[in-house]
Amino acid sequence: GLPERHTLHTKPYEFSHTLQYPLAHSHKSEIMQDEQMLMNQVKQEAAGQYLQELFESVRSKCFEKCVTRPSSSLSSSEQKCLSNCCDRYVEATAVVSQAVMTHVSSSGGMQ
């Protein structure tokens, strides 16, 4: 005969929220609060990841640009170059971030 078929039945809410939420929510407002807390957690983690990537990018690009002959210490010109490079990188990132935020707020969200 044919092999026996098994079907897994789950409630959609239980399936999508098993890791974060208790299953016995009785009020919609509690669910909405939990979802908001989860969104805030995701936003914080994304911001941390963004800062880590920004730091790595600035560090590698500015080092490559400014440190021509690596040694045990930085020369004063290398220090000045690194400082200026980091400042410019942060300023450029702020301008781009502001432009993105302006676009998002004027268009009603990401597209």
Side-chain angles (χ1 to χ4, degrees):
L2 295 173
E4 188 177 330
R5 297 179 96 185
H6 295 280
T7 305
L8 176 63
H9 294 282
T10 62
K11 295 177 186 172
Y13 182 77
E14 289 176 351
F15 178 76
S16 63
H17 294 84
T18 52
L19 296 177
Q20 181 67 25
Y21 302 123
L23 299 177
H25 281 295
S26 59
H27 297 95
K28 192 174 186 177
S29 63
E30 288 179 48
I31 295 169
M32 291 172 67
Q33 269 185 322
D34 286 346
E35 288 176 352
Q36 185 62 44
M37 286 173 44
L38 179 59
M39 281 302 295
N40 289 340
Q41 182 181 352
V42 169
K43 286 177 184 178
Q44 288 175 350
E45 289 175 14
Q49 181 66 31
Y50 171 78
L51 288 175
Q52 181 66 32
E53 290 175 12
L54 176 65
F55 172 76
E56 290 297 323
S57 182
V58 169
R59 186 174 62 90
S60 66
K61 289 178 192 240
C62 292
F63 185 87
E64 186 178 305
K65 177 181 189 262
C66 297
V67 181
T68 55
R69 284 181 268 153
S71 66
S72 61
S73 63
L74 296 171
S75 70
S76 61
S77 62
E78 289 171 329
Q79 289 177 17
K80 184 174 173 114
C81 178
L82 286 167
S83 178
N84 289 336
C85 180
C86 291
D87 289 347
R88 297 301 81 77
Y89 209 102
V90 169
E91 288 172 9
T93 301
V95 168
V96 170
S97 296
Q98 183 61 45
V100 168
M101 294 306 293
T102 300
H103 174 73
V104 167
S105 63
S106 67
S107 66
M110 294 294 268
Q111 301 194 2

